[in-house]
Amino acid sequence: MSAALQMTAFGLALLSTLFLLLATCTDCWMVNADDSLEVSRATIFKVSHKCRGLWRECVTNMQDGVRTCDQYDSILADHPVKIVVTRTLLITADLLAGLALATLLLGLDCIKFLKEEPHVKLKMCYGAGVILSIGSILGLVGSVWYAVDVYVERAMLVSHNIFLGVHYDFGWSCWLGMAGSTGCFGASVLLTCCLHACAGQSALSHPIPP
């Protein structure tokens, strides 16, 4: 039971970490669909589709499918607060998730490392769970921070009756960040609460002889 729980947590943590890495590296945190229209024979076309990420902005021409990307200024340059905060939190979450994965891998029962020290391996699993929980909170805060900022920006335009042919939405990279953070949190629960309960039941079932 304990080994199956560890493998489930490891699989979930691995998938969630990949989601976090993809969210950090991809370029579609905010979708800015340019609704400038061309009218020809009563047919309306969208001209372009923009995706803004943490590192660059990409524009796709809806007519010919050509995609061009522009890198943001140097990382030391002044950037909007939402980009700086989200970058910092997501990169930290990625590093913590990676560290937790390495720790968890060594703590798995199926790995021969410290095979004679089951209590040490169990503590490594607990430690991986704690690290994952911290990383998941940071990733979730960063993703939600960005999403809320996009919503507020859109609400400000609507409240002032300003519409410049631009519609703002959360991009799939933002959703990936939220999904990866939630998955890491789920894995941390498995490695702390569930694994602790499982280990306690195992100790009761197999008491140490006097």
Side-chain angles (χ1 to χ4, degrees):
M1 179 65 179
S2 176
L5 194 60
Q6 289 177 0
M7 293 304 297
T8 301
F10 180 79
L12 180 58
L14 178 61
L15 181 62
S16 301
T17 301
L18 290 176
F19 280 3
L20 278 175
L21 289 172
L22 284 174
T24 306
C25 299
T26 49
D27 309 310
C28 205
W29 278 77
M30 182 170 71
V31 178
N32 180 355
D34 188 347
D35 289 332
S36 301
L37 304 176
E38 288 183 358
V39 181
S40 176
R41 296 182 181 180
T43 305
I44 300 177
F45 301 96
K46 287 185 178 179
V47 175
S48 63
H49 181 270
K50 298 178 184 178
C51 272
R52 296 180 183 177
L54 302 179
W55 311 101
R56 60 182 182 172
E57 178 177 332
C58 296
V59 180
T60 303
N61 190 303
M62 302 298 287
Q63 295 178 332
D64 54 21
V66 176
R67 187 170 185 261
T68 57
C69 295
D70 292 324
Q71 296 283 346
Y72 294 149
D73 293 333
S74 166
I75 193 172
L76 299 177
D78 291 332
H79 295 288
V81 174
K82 68 180 177 184
I83 290 182
V84 175
V85 171
T86 307
R87 277 180 181 178
T88 303
L89 292 176
L90 263 292
I91 291 174
T92 307
D94 293 341
L95 294 174
L96 288 175
L99 175 61
L101 271 179
T103 305
L104 177 57
L105 181 63
L106 295 177
L108 294 176
D109 289 341
C110 59
I111 301 298
K112 293 183 179 180
F113 180 73
L114 293 176
K115 196 70 173 180
E116 299 79 14
E117 301 288 344
H119 295 294
V120 175
K121 292 176 75 71
L122 186 60
K123 289 181 179 179
M124 293 178 70
C125 291
Y126 291 156
V130 172
I131 297 172
L132 272 176
S133 66
I134 298 172
S136 68
I137 292 172
L138 294 179
L140 196 58
V141 169
S143 302
V144 172
W145 173 290
Y146 196 98
V148 168
D149 194 271
V150 172
Y151 175 81
V152 169
E153 186 175 348
R154 181 173 59 188
M156 287 289 290
L157 291 175
V158 173
S159 65
H160 291 86
N161 294 321
I162 300 174
F163 185 71
L164 303 176
V166 177
H167 175 66
Y168 295 94
D169 251 329
F170 315 138
W172 54 268
S173 296
C174 187
W175 291 112
L176 268 182
M178 294 183 189
S181 301
T182 304
C184 285
F185 185 78
S188 73
V189 172
L190 290 177
L191 290 171
T192 51
C193 302
C194 298
L195 189 60
H196 179 73
C198 183
Q201 288 181 355
S202 178
L204 290 175
S205 301
H206 303 86
I208 301 175

